[in-house]
Amino acid sequence: MYFIGVDIGGTGIKVGLTDEMGNIISSGDCPTYVELGYERIISDMSDKIIEVVNNAGIDIKDVKSIGIGIPGVADVNGKVYYATNLKWTNVPLGELVRKKFPDKKVKIENDATVAALAELHIGSMKGKGTGILLTLGTGVGGGIIINERVFSGAHGIGSEIGHMIVGENFYDCNCGNNGCLETFASATAIIKYAQKLISEGRESIILEKAENDISKITARTIFEAYKEKDEVAQIIVERFVHYLGIGIANLVNVFDPEIFSIGGGVSRAFDFYIDDLRIEVSKHVIFKDVPFGNIVPATLGNDAGIVGAAMLGL
Amino acid sequence: MYFIGVDIGGTGIKVGLTDEMGNIISSGDCPTYVELGYERIISDMSDKIIEVVNNAGIDIKDVKSIGIGIPGVADVNGKVYYATNLKWTNVPLGELVRKKFPDKKVKIENDATVAALAELHIGSMKGKGTGILLTLGTGVGGGIIINERVFSGAHGIGSEIGHMIVGENFYDCNCGNNGCLETFASATAIIKYAQKLISEGRESIILEKAENDISKITARTIFEAYKEKDEVAQIIVERFVHYLGIGIANLVNVFDPEIFSIGGGVSRAFDFYIDDLRIEVSKHVIFKDVPFGNIVPATLGNDAGIVGAAMLGL
């Protein structure tokens, strides 16, 4: 039996055909024409699905299901409440895809949730039943797996770990709240904090690395400066670790998963902060003598989206 | 088929025999002789189980399982890591009870988790699959139900919702951390905040109600003063609602349960704060247009412990 996995992003749509182990047999992609509306995106995606199946030389009858990862949130029937980068609100994606492929099971989930499922099947969380993926990028995304199934709550809005409030911050989150984990532990968060410290007059080699242009500071320049023992970079990374530690400890205290996987751009600096992060988590965990889930880097790259989406059909 | 439910508290042990609907057929209790050690407690409990079964006129063979709620945390095998009020550390409760009742299934869970299960079967969360009970008392306890089963994580340490860090506070939690939900939303938390404001010189009728003795302030005196529009009491209840709202919104953003149930002593004032609490939660929920779980008062009193423990055997 075969499975289709689709990863709809703001710039491109990736489609893959996998077996039940998550091995990709055939794949393809096309641009996401956001401005042309959701009907066009769904039509392009459907054409690509048929092409990918044909390229593999198999019959569409042998495809069990179509799983789709979206940069947003959908309810259990696949109605997409929001997908900001696609400019979608209340798009009945599940219903429309079921019309095009009437005999297939269609499942739709948030892209971080889908990536967590891929990490569970073929990546860093392989062999575990219960795990949480945190993606640290522009924002902080979360994917939760319980008993080998994706968990996204009763209304499909769970696993928004980036918007767990963990403290009080000097700037508000895009969501309107103050203190979201995302405002402490994303690339954006550490850049904003670097900009704040430097514009307050702190001297740092971060600024040189950013061509003396505060707007050109990136997570990479901060971690490079950290490696070179820059004092401001130490302060920034310590704060990042402190609040990420609180966020993960909150998840230990509430969810207690077997494993945590860290993905996204900021996970490239994983080796710089993992030791301090484990210490920080253990400080904030309520039961100090009980083991908690290990924290590991995510291992899947670009294919996580299509593999995880395909595995929604299992 | 019948089920035994046991509620081991710091002062008393309650034992009940129920049917599969959670109806109590027979029950009894005895003191908890904490100072005499765990062997004595287990022995007293076992005697009481036999007595309760005999009193019901049924054969112990017809009892399917023994479920036990403890004021602490146990692993999946029923080893109790900690139960502070019982002075227990690493007590192999499950193993010892299985020795006494070799043919019975034995399950051990935290008392708040057990109470959540009772609320799900016969109380405020009846008919729901996924729900969270918050008990607001001396501390803040939490019980999580997912797909009609108790959820306590991979190592048995999940659902410690009172120790989710949600902000920064003027005093540290007993657990050693700063900012735990328990330090904002328990009876202890509001008493401490009242004491702080009054000792800073704020005038309030709370003090009169406490016989002009700051150490006699209770949650009840605060809510009485709140009802009488006392300004300091307004400030205290607003802060309580603010942080409890953040705590519940964090659980919406991460867990998204069908329902929240509020128990414990502070739930007696539920009607005073529920409207403001719903507003505060909706402010901090990430998806403003998507429904979230209703917040209701817990409906079960003292029997929740034995009924929930019995239902662990289902």
Side-chain angles (χ1 to χ4, degrees):
Chain A
M1 196 51 98
Y2 300 98
F3 302 85
I4 285 288
V6 180
D7 178 3
I8 306 185
T11 56
I13 301 166
K14 291 180 212 152
V15 175
L17 178 80
T18 79
D19 61 19
E20 70 274 16
M21 302 297 290
N23 298 306
I24 297 172
I25 291 157
S26 153
S27 66
D29 53 71
C30 59
T32 312
Y33 293 115
V34 173
E35 302 304 330
L36 301 181
Y38 67 84
E39 295 90 344
R40 172 64 189 266
I41 293 175
I42 295 170
S43 165
D44 287 350
M45 179 192 78
S46 304
D47 293 347
K48 191 55 66 179
I49 289 173
I50 290 162
E51 185 190 309
V52 162
V53 170
N54 288 343
N55 285 350
I58 70 152
D59 194 313
I60 185 85
K61 276 189 292 185
D62 294 325
V63 171
K64 187 181 166 202
S65 63
I66 298 170
I68 306 173
I70 51 154
V73 170
D75 72 8
V76 286
N77 298 315
K79 187 184 81 174
V80 179
Y81 291 122
Y82 306 88
T84 311
N85 290 341
L86 302 178
K87 302 188 178 171
W88 286 9
T89 311
N90 293 320
V91 170
L93 177 62
E95 192 186 319
L96 295 170
V97 176
R98 271 179 215 106
K99 266 191 195 151
K100 295 217 179 228
F101 299 94
D103 57 338
K104 306 297 170 209
K105 184 165 90 171
V106 176
K107 284 215 168 185
I108 291 145
E109 283 287 352
N110 170 266
D111 49 14
T113 298
V114 159
L117 193 59
E119 291 289 338
L120 190 90
H121 278 281
I122 61 165
S124 59
M125 307 201 286
K126 194 168 170 154
K128 305 292 182 183
T130 301
I132 296 182
L133 172 70
L134 285 164
T135 58
L136 314 180
T138 314
V140 170
I144 299 175
I145 309 288
I146 296 180
N147 297 332
E148 295 172 33
R149 317 294 297 178
V150 298
F151 178 82
S152 49
H155 312 86
I157 56 170
S159 89
E160 287 290 334
I161 293 167
H163 297 282
M164 179 166 61
I165 293 172
V166 294
E168 283 149 44
N169 209 345
F170 66 90
Y171 75 100
D172 285 343
C173 186
N174 286 336
C175 78
N177 286 322
N178 186 276
C180 292
L181 180 60
E182 174 161 312
T183 65
F184 294 107
S186 62
T188 312
I190 60 174
I191 292 165
K192 274 189 190 283
Y193 190 52
Q195 288 169 336
K196 174 178 152 67
L197 292 179
I198 289 166
S199 59
E200 283 168 4
R202 298 293 297 252
E203 279 190 27
S204 165
I205 59 171
I206 293 170
L207 195 57
E208 287 162 41
K209 289 183 184 293
E211 301 166 30
N212 289 306
D213 179 350
I214 202 166
S215 73
K216 287 190 178 160
I217 294 173
T218 62
R220 175 190 288 259
T221 54
I222 294 166
F223 281 105
E224 280 175 6
Y226 178 77
K227 198 175 162 185
E228 294 173 30
K229 311 258 182 234
D230 176 73
E231 205 178 299
V232 168
Q234 308 286 321
I235 293 168
I236 296 165
V237 174
E238 268 172 31
R239 184 174 189 264
F240 159 81
V241 165
H242 173 69
Y243 284 102
L244 182 56
I246 288 179
I248 293 178
N250 278 356
L251 294 170
V252 170
N253 289 337
V254 174
F255 255 106
D256 178 26
E258 283 175 82
I259 191 165
F260 290 95
S261 178
I262 309 287
V266 184
S267 72
R268 281 195 286 270
F270 189 82
D271 290 341
F272 289 149
Y273 55 75
I274 180 56
D275 293 341
D276 291 335
L277 180 61
R278 288 203 181 103
I279 292 168
E280 201 64 26
V281 173
S282 64
K283 270 192 220 167
H284 292 98
V285 159
I286 169 81
F287 300 110
K288 312 290 184 199
D289 306 334
V290 181
F292 60 84
N294 196 10
I295 305 166
V296 300
T299 51
L300 300 176
N302 284 330
D303 288 343
I306 52 181
V307 173
M311 297 295 95
L312 288 170
L314 279 185
Chain B
M1 196 52 98
Y2 300 98
F3 302 83
I4 286 288
V6 180
D7 178 2
I8 306 185
T11 56
I13 301 168
K14 290 180 214 154
V15 175
L17 178 81
T18 79
D19 61 18
E20 70 275 14
M21 301 299 288
N23 299 306
I24 297 173
I25 291 156
S26 154
S27 67
D29 54 71
C30 59
T32 312
Y33 293 115
V34 172
E35 301 305 330
L36 299 181
Y38 66 84
E39 294 91 344
R40 172 64 187 265
I41 294 174
I42 296 170
S43 166
D44 287 349
M45 178 192 78
S46 302
D47 293 348
K48 190 56 67 178
I49 289 174
I50 289 162
E51 184 191 310
V52 162
V53 171
N54 288 342
N55 285 349
I58 70 152
D59 194 314
I60 185 87
K61 276 189 293 186
D62 293 327
V63 171
K64 187 181 167 202
S65 64
I66 299 171
I68 306 174
I70 50 154
V73 169
D75 71 8
V76 285
N77 298 316
K79 188 183 81 174
V80 180
Y81 291 122
Y82 306 87
T84 311
N85 289 342
L86 302 179
K87 302 189 179 170
W88 286 9
T89 312
N90 293 320
V91 170
L93 177 63
E95 193 185 318
L96 295 171
V97 176
R98 271 180 216 106
K99 266 190 197 153
K100 295 214 180 230
F101 299 94
D103 57 336
K104 306 298 171 207
K105 184 165 91 173
V106 176
K107 284 217 166 183
I108 290 145
E109 283 287 352
N110 170 265
D111 49 13
T113 300
V114 160
L117 193 58
E119 292 289 337
L120 190 90
H121 278 281
I122 61 165
S124 60
M125 307 202 284
K126 196 171 168 148
K128 305 294 183 182
T130 300
I132 295 182
L133 171 70
L134 284 164
T135 58
L136 314 180
T138 313
V140 170
I144 300 175
I145 308 288
I146 296 179
N147 297 332
E148 296 174 31
R149 316 296 293 178
V150 298
F151 178 82
S152 48
H155 312 86
I157 56 169
S159 89
E160 286 292 334
I161 293 168
H163 298 281
M164 179 166 62
I165 293 172
V166 296
E168 282 148 44
N169 209 346
F170 65 90
Y171 75 99
D172 285 344
C173 186
N174 286 335
C175 79
N177 286 323
N178 187 276
C180 293
L181 180 60
E182 175 161 313
T183 66
F184 295 107
S186 62
T188 312
I190 60 174
I191 292 166
K192 274 189 191 283
Y193 191 51
Q195 288 169 335
K196 175 179 151 67
L197 293 178
I198 289 167
S199 59
E200 283 168 4
R202 298 292 298 254
E203 281 190 25
S204 165
I205 58 169
I206 293 171
L207 195 56
E208 287 162 42
K209 289 182 185 292
E211 301 167 29
N212 290 307
D213 179 350
I214 202 166
S215 73
K216 289 190 177 160
I217 294 173
T218 62
R220 175 190 287 259
T221 54
I222 295 166
F223 280 106
E224 279 175 7
Y226 177 77
K227 197 174 163 186
E228 295 172 30
K229 311 259 182 236
D230 177 72
E231 205 177 299
V232 169
Q234 309 286 320
I235 293 169
I236 295 165
V237 174
E238 267 172 32
R239 185 174 188 264
F240 159 82
V241 165
H242 173 69
Y243 284 102
L244 181 57
I246 287 178
I248 293 178
N250 278 357
L251 293 170
V252 170
N253 290 337
V254 173
F255 256 105
D256 179 25
E258 282 176 83
I259 191 164
F260 290 95
S261 177
I262 308 288
V266 184
S267 73
R268 281 195 286 271
F270 189 82
D271 290 343
F272 289 147
Y273 56 76
I274 179 58
D275 292 342
D276 291 335
L277 180 61
R278 288 203 180 101
I279 292 167
E280 201 64 27
V281 174
S282 64
K283 269 192 220 168
H284 292 99
V285 158
I286 170 82
F287 300 110
K288 312 289 186 200
D289 307 334
V290 180
F292 61 85
N294 196 11
I295 305 166
V296 300
T299 52
L300 301 176
N302 283 332
D303 288 344
I306 53 180
V307 173
M311 297 296 95
L312 288 171
L314 281 184

